Amino acid sequence: MTRIDDKFAELKAAGKKAFVTYVMAGDPNYAESLEIVKGLPDAGVDIIELGLPFTDPMADGVTIQLAGQRALAAGMSLQRTLDLATEFRKGDDTTPIVLMGYYNPIYSRGVAKFLVDAKAAGIDGMIVVDLPPEEDVELCIPAQAAGMNFIRLATPTTDDKRLPKVLQNTSGFVYYVSVNGTTGAAEAEVGDVGPEVARIKSQTDLPVIVGFGINTPEKAENIARTADGCVVGSAIVAQIGAGKSVADVLSFVAGLAEGAHRG
């Protein structure tokens, strides 16, 4: 059992949906990013997705691309991202952290060293968007052997033939991408999401969390109602990019959390 498994068990017992947030590590700088991440649980966040800055974020739209650029310009790296998680863990040993990013920085560090360091930093799971199931031996299987969840994305184009392959080594939860395209490219539509979530849940006992295109408390509520919870990323990152204070960012997150938890 990981912190992610424990969190979903806790939420299920309470009859609540999960609210998951994404922020880019080191955006706009290390100190403010750490302050934001530390404040997320009190703002109602159940699981934190921590973006790993990378120079070629192919799955991300402009908002998160710019966040990565700001973080890299401020000196963020894989090591500094793990340092941030380590600092967070000094005050919070229960909120799950999912590292979300791309394989190149992990590969460059070396998978074995990365897994040891990530585990020590308190990372509970990973979403590595450019490693398909055919490459599970690279990172997915070693990560699970090290006691971390490997979370896979399913999309509107993941058909019934492909879905079992996507699910076969997935753990923690399934992340359903609600729209075609990159992050922040379009808004999620409840009518489209519901049948897809049901289709995925017919093939797995894992929680299904919906992300991409959720940007208001009302949208969070409606989407969470159709699934086991929702993820908000670009809308929060946009607040940081606009230069909002930490307090204002966390207030925005709290509104979204209230919506998701009504779902």
Side-chain angles (χ1 to χ4, degrees):
M1 295 285 285
T2 66
R3 291 186 187 93
I4 296 171
D5 300 321
D6 290 342
K7 176 58 69 174
F8 278 110
E10 173 192 323
L11 290 167
K12 184 176 181 179
K16 291 177 65 177
K17 300 299 180 74
F19 180 56
V20 184
T21 57
Y22 171 99
V23 292
M24 180 67 71
D27 177 33
N29 55 62
Y30 182 91
E32 283 186 64
S33 180
L34 178 59
E35 196 175 348
I36 290 168
V37 173
K38 283 182 174 180
L40 291 175
D42 284 342
V45 175
D46 298 304
I47 298 172
I48 298 168
E49 288 181 4
L50 192 60
L52 175 59
F54 182 52
T55 53
D56 189 22
M58 65 188 76
D60 293 302
V62 173
T63 299
I64 292 179
Q65 288 180 21
L66 291 173
Q69 290 174 14
R70 290 191 296 268
L72 291 168
M76 285 304 287
S77 61
L78 173 54
Q79 182 58 53
R80 290 288 280 164
T81 300
L82 296 178
D83 291 345
L84 192 149
T86 300
E87 284 299 313
F88 173 83
R89 281 281 173 244
K90 290 178 180 178
D92 187 319
D93 194 43
T94 58
T95 303
I97 299 177
V98 175
L99 191 66
M100 185 170 185
Y102 299 85
Y103 187 43
N104 185 281
I106 297 168
Y107 176 80
S108 296
R109 190 182 191 88
V111 167
K113 177 172 174 51
F114 165 75
L115 290 174
V116 169
D117 294 344
K119 188 73 173 177
I123 301 297
D124 303 293
M126 284 174 278
I127 300 172
V128 183
V129 299
D130 54 349
L131 274 182
E134 287 75 12
E135 306 298 335
D136 276 356
V137 69
E138 287 281 332
L139 181 61
C140 173
I141 292 171
Q144 294 192 353
M148 284 182 274
N149 293 122
F150 200 89
I151 296 141
R152 191 81 67 193
L153 304 181
T155 75
T157 59
T158 306
D159 60 21
D160 288 339
K161 182 178 179 181
R162 179 65 175 169
L163 185 58
K165 186 74 172 177
V166 169
L167 295 174
Q168 69 179 3
N169 288 318
T170 298
S171 63
F173 61 92
V174 179
Y175 187 136
Y176 177 66
V177 175
S178 63
V179 298
N180 288 315
T182 57
T183 56
E187 291 196 14
E189 296 297 335
V190 176
D192 297 331
V193 169
E196 290 298 299
V197 169
R199 183 170 68 92
I200 296 167
K201 290 180 76 67
S202 73
Q203 297 198 39
T204 181
D205 293 329
L206 290 171
V208 179
I209 306 299
V210 177
F212 285 44
I214 302 167
N215 50 26
T216 67
E218 294 73 24
K219 185 74 75 173
E221 177 180 358
N222 291 334
I223 293 294
R225 190 175 290 129
T226 70
D228 296 298
C230 68
V231 184
V232 179
S234 292
I236 298 167
V237 172
Q239 296 282 311
I240 298 169
K244 298 291 182 68
S245 69
V246 171
D248 284 345
V249 171
L250 294 174
S251 177
F252 179 73
V253 170
L256 292 164
E258 289 176 9
H261 289 147
R262 287 195 301 266

